[in-house]
């Protein structure tokens, strides 16, 4: 028997409740609870959809573990993030702030795929066909195999897919598409869930690589139910500051590749351009001979990045000093300050500490600890670091410098960009061949590092 069930669900975080709340108990958002009506059909035994598949269980050793076939998108940075290219039949979700360049990236990708002989259908629910054509003219993304449709009705989108039979499908955006039989408004939790389920069946059943563009909430997460990210094969976040020209494409979920890779783009008048050497870009405006500025070698997936760290230590006029960090975890900054106070005798209790990663990159790995400590000490003592130094290493609570992974790649990247000296953990010097033309100095404690960097 079927029965109608009514519930209330938050459009921001997907929290479900049997009654309406003015303020969501889950994310504390005001007026975000909407009423959802669904029909529940009870099925048991062999009539359950779980038993509809005709596949039989197989021993895991008999299952073919060959690599999934991939299609090169024509954009190297996007291929890197996806794990080597897009997999036919995969469902990809791309999220990002408004105006960050999601539609531009998708249109450029669609155009690049047509050069490989693929047919692409670009469905826009937010812009008219003429607006999409104007963007394509500006980007130079004009091809006879690129079809554009302005539609939000899910049934008509499926009709267009049946008619064109594309190899690549873009939905911009999933929050604008609706099913007529679902009573809630477009963009609601129920609509997003049901439409994504239909697109998943299209992708898996017909082998069409499908990309869904999603809106984000004020907290930066993709809008809609959390189930949305569980349903898709890959979740990409397009990040960046509007005041900077570069953009970062980061994978937070990828069933066909690594989630540690990032793609770096630069926004120009003619669209997004790939950044082949991001380290050179981030260091292009680095001041030389300034206290508090150091260069750290960080790893983003398999790619080494050389980024400038800037620290500013100034006397506070308040009882409690301020601690601010941009691009580095604030809790990690407090930990390093505590180590410097306890182990190095630095008096920072009356000093405000500001830390910034130049260029807006976010560094999450502990290998940046040593560079943070050197930047703070350099600013406090007003002693500039050497402009040709690169520093990396993890700091322990007792003041020791611990080894980090992939030291060889970090050093090679520093040598390629012309740096003369690298200060790194002593234990990271073992097990690999040191390149010529660059001096490697191993340290065991923070005191050793400061003595070398600030001599």
């Amino acid at each position: 028997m079927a029965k109608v069930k009514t519930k209330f669900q938050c459009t921001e975080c997907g929290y479900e409740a049997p009654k309406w709340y003015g303020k969501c108990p889950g994310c504390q958002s005001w007026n975000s609870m909407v009423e959802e009506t669904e029909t529940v059909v009870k099925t048991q035994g062999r009539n359950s959809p779980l038993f509809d598949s005709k596949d039989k269980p197989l021993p895991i050793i008999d299952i073919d573990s060959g690599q999934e076939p991939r299609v090169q998108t024509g954009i190297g940075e996007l291929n890197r993030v996806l794990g080597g290219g897009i997999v036919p039949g995969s469902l990809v979700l791309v999220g990002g702030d408004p105006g960050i360049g999601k539609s531009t990236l998708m249109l450029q990708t669609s155009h690049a795929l047509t050069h490989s002989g693929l047919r692409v259908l670009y469905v826009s629910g937010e812009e008219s066909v003429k607006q999409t054509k104007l963007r394509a003219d500006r980007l130079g993304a004009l091809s006879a195999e690129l079809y554009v449709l302005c539609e939000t009705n899910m049934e008509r989108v499926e009709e267009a897919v049946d008619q064109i039979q594309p190899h690549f499908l873009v939905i911009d955006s999933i929050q604008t598409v609706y099913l007529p039989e679902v009573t809630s408004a477009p963009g609601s939790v129920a609509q997003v869930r049901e439409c994504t389920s239909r697109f998943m069946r299209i992708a898996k059943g017909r082998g069409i690589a499908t990309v869904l563009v999603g809106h984000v909430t004020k907290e930066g997460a993709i809008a809609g139910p959390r189930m949305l990210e569980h349903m898709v094969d890959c979740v990409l976040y397009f990040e960046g500051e509007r005041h900077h020209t570069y953009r970062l494409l980061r994978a937070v979920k990828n069933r066909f590749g690594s989630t540690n890779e990032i793609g770096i783009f630069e926004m120009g008048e003619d669209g997004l351009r790939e950044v082949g050497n991001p380290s050179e870009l981030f260091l292009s405006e680095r001041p030389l001979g300034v206290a508090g500025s150091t260069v750290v070698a960080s790893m983003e997936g398999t790619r080494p990045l050389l980024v400038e760290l800037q620290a500013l230590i100034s006397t506070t006029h308040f009882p409690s000093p301020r601690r601010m960090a941009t691009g580095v975890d604030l809790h990690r900054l407090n930990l390093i300050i505590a180590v410097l106070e306890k182990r190095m005798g630095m008096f920072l209790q009356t000093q405000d500490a500001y830390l910034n990663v130049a260029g807006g990159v976010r560094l999450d790995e502990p290998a940046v600890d040593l560079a943070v400590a050197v930047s703070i000490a350099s600013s406090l003592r007003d002693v500039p670091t050497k402009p040709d130094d690169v520093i990396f290493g993890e700091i322990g609570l007792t003041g020791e410098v611990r080894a980090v992974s992939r030291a060889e790649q970090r050093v090679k990247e520093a040598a390629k960009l012309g740096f003369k000296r690298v200060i790194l953990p002593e234990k990271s010097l073992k097990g690999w061949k040191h390149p010529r033309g660059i001096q490697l100095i191993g340290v065991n404690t923070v005191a050793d590092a400061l003595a070398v960097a600030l001599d």
Side-chain angles (χ1 to χ4, degrees):
M1 296 180 61
K3 66 177 182 177
V4 178
K5 181 181 178 181
T6 302
K7 62 181 179 180
F8 294 87
Q9 198 161 16
C10 177
T11 58
E12 294 286 341
C13 67
Y15 181 87
E16 295 184 2
K19 63 178 181 178
W20 183 84
Y21 290 95
K23 185 177 182 181
C24 173
C27 63
Q28 305 301 314
S29 299
W30 287 96
N31 298 323
S32 61
M33 304 292 290
V34 296
E35 183 179 357
E36 303 290 347
T37 303
E38 62 180 356
T39 302
V40 181
V41 180
K42 292 186 177 181
T43 57
Q44 296 179 351
R46 305 295 295 185
N47 296 325
S48 173
L50 294 175
F51 293 93
D52 288 345
S53 176
K54 297 181 180 180
D55 294 337
K56 296 181 180 180
L58 296 174
I60 193 170
I61 59 175
D62 295 339
I63 299 176
D64 184 16
S65 58
Q67 294 291 330
E68 294 285 345
R70 294 181 182 270
V71 177
Q72 298 296 312
T73 63
I75 301 178
E77 294 297 299
L78 181 58
N79 290 334
R80 174 194 295 271
V81 177
L82 291 173
I86 192 166
V87 178
S90 61
L91 187 61
V92 180
L93 177 63
V94 179
D97 294 332
I100 205 68
K102 302 185 297 297
S103 300
T104 300
L105 176 63
M106 289 299 99
L107 197 56
Q108 289 185 227
T109 303
S110 301
H111 175 65
L113 286 171
T114 59
H115 289 296
S116 302
L118 303 182
R119 191 180 304 109
V120 180
L121 175 59
Y122 186 97
V123 180
S124 176
E126 300 178 347
E127 296 179 339
S128 64
V129 175
K130 291 185 178 180
Q131 289 175 316
T132 305
K133 177 61 163 57
L134 289 175
R135 176 182 279 117
D137 290 335
R138 177 172 57 85
L139 302 177
L142 301 175
S143 174
E145 293 298 314
L146 175 56
Y147 293 82
V148 179
L149 173 66
C150 180
E151 185 56 68
T152 57
N153 191 320
M154 181 69 205
E155 295 179 350
R156 295 178 182 174
V157 172
E158 289 181 329
E159 292 177 0
V161 172
D162 293 336
Q163 177 185 357
I164 298 175
Q165 296 293 321
H167 303 94
F168 186 70
L169 175 63
V170 178
I171 307 298
D172 187 9
S173 63
I174 185 60
Q175 277 82 8
T176 62
V177 183
Y178 71 95
L179 274 169
E181 57 263 28
V182 180
T183 57
S184 57
S188 63
V189 175
Q191 288 284 6
V192 171
R193 181 179 61 245
E194 294 301 324
C195 291
T196 303
S197 179
R198 295 282 281 268
F199 283 121
M200 183 173 63
R201 287 195 291 268
I202 291 176
K204 304 300 181 183
R206 309 185 189 187
I208 302 174
T210 305
V211 176
L212 308 178
V213 178
H215 296 169
V216 296
T217 63
K218 56 187 177 182
E219 289 82 14
I222 295 180
R226 198 67 180 178
M227 185 192 306
L228 181 62
E229 299 187 24
H230 293 285
M231 295 171 66
V232 300
D233 299 312
C234 182
V235 180
L236 306 180
Y237 276 90
F238 207 40
E239 306 170 352
E241 298 289 341
R242 290 192 176 184
H243 304 292
H244 295 87
T245 59
Y246 69 89
R247 304 288 188 266
L248 298 180
L249 185 65
R250 189 186 306 272
V252 298
K253 174 188 176 181
N254 192 354
R255 290 173 178 164
F256 305 110
S258 172
T259 57
N260 296 322
E261 300 288 352
I262 65 169
I264 303 177
F265 300 87
E266 185 178 8
M267 179 65 78
E269 294 183 357
D270 56 347
L272 294 166
R273 295 189 294 267
E274 299 179 66
V275 177
N277 193 342
S279 298
E280 187 176 0
L281 172 68
F282 294 140
L283 299 177
S284 60
E285 301 179 9
R286 180 171 67 101
L288 302 179
V290 179
S293 174
T294 61
V295 177
V296 60
S298 177
M299 293 295 299
E300 287 288 348
T302 59
R303 166 186 285 173
L305 288 182
L306 299 188
V307 187
E308 181 192 4
L309 274 175
Q310 296 178 342
L312 177 62
I313 306 299
S314 61
T315 304
T316 183
H317 300 287
F318 300 96
S320 178
R322 299 190 65 183
R323 305 283 188 255
M324 295 185 62
T326 303
V328 178
D329 185 19
L330 180 60
H331 300 293
R332 199 72 186 175
L333 173 62
N334 292 330
L335 184 148
I336 296 173
I337 290 177
V339 172
L340 292 176
E341 287 183 333
K342 183 70 174 181
R343 306 301 177 187
M344 298 301 302
M346 296 184 183
F347 193 70
L348 297 169
Q349 297 177 5
T350 60
Q351 305 290 326
D352 289 334
Y354 305 92
L355 186 68
N356 177 50
V357 180
V361 186
R362 180 158 188 86
L363 305 177
D364 295 323
E365 65 166 346
V368 303
D369 290 352
L370 191 58
V372 172
V374 172
S375 297
I376 294 174
S378 172
S379 179
L380 178 66
R381 300 175 181 178
D382 200 19
V383 177
T385 58
K386 303 292 190 299
D388 294 331
D389 283 359
V390 174
I391 305 170
F392 62 87
E394 180 183 355
I395 294 179
L397 293 181
T398 60
E400 80 279 10
V401 178
R402 296 176 173 269
V404 298
S405 62
R406 301 190 179 183
E408 182 179 3
Q409 289 92 326
R410 303 173 198 259
V411 172
K412 287 183 177 179
E413 182 71 11
K416 185 174 66 175
L417 293 180
F419 288 90
K420 303 300 182 183
R421 194 170 68 165
V422 177
I423 302 173
L424 70 164
E426 179 75 31
K427 295 182 180 179
S428 295
L429 292 172
K430 303 175 182 178
W432 54 280
K433 185 178 180 180
H434 301 171
R436 297 180 179 179
I438 189 169
Q439 181 184 4
L440 305 182
I441 302 177
V443 295
N444 292 313
T445 64
V446 178
D448 296 340
L450 296 182
V452 173
L454 303 179
D455 59 352

